[in-house]
Amino acid sequence: MRELSAEARLHLYARSLSRRTTRRLHAAALYGAFAVIAAIVFGTLSYHPF
């Protein structure tokens, strides 16, 4: 098996790190969207205009 240069290893590490960061950002956005929807739903259920 061929040895990877330091530059190639750094590039692979940066790609895997950016994938992990992207996945975490997508998960945070998804959970944030659910939290906003839940806040709107529960807020409108507890609102009594009359």
Side-chain angles (χ1 to χ4, degrees), residues 11-31:
H11 180 69
L12 286 174
Y13 176 73
R15 280 184 57 194
S16 70
L17 186 64
S18 72
R19 281 186 190 144
R20 257 184 277 150
T21 304
T22 303
R23 194 177 308 142
R24 285 183 182 166
L25 283 175
H26 284 160
L30 184 66
Y31 291 137

Side-chain angles (χ1 to χ4, degrees), residues 41-50:
V41 168
F42 287 121
T44 57
L45 288 178
S46 64
Y47 178 68
H48 301 290
F50 299 108

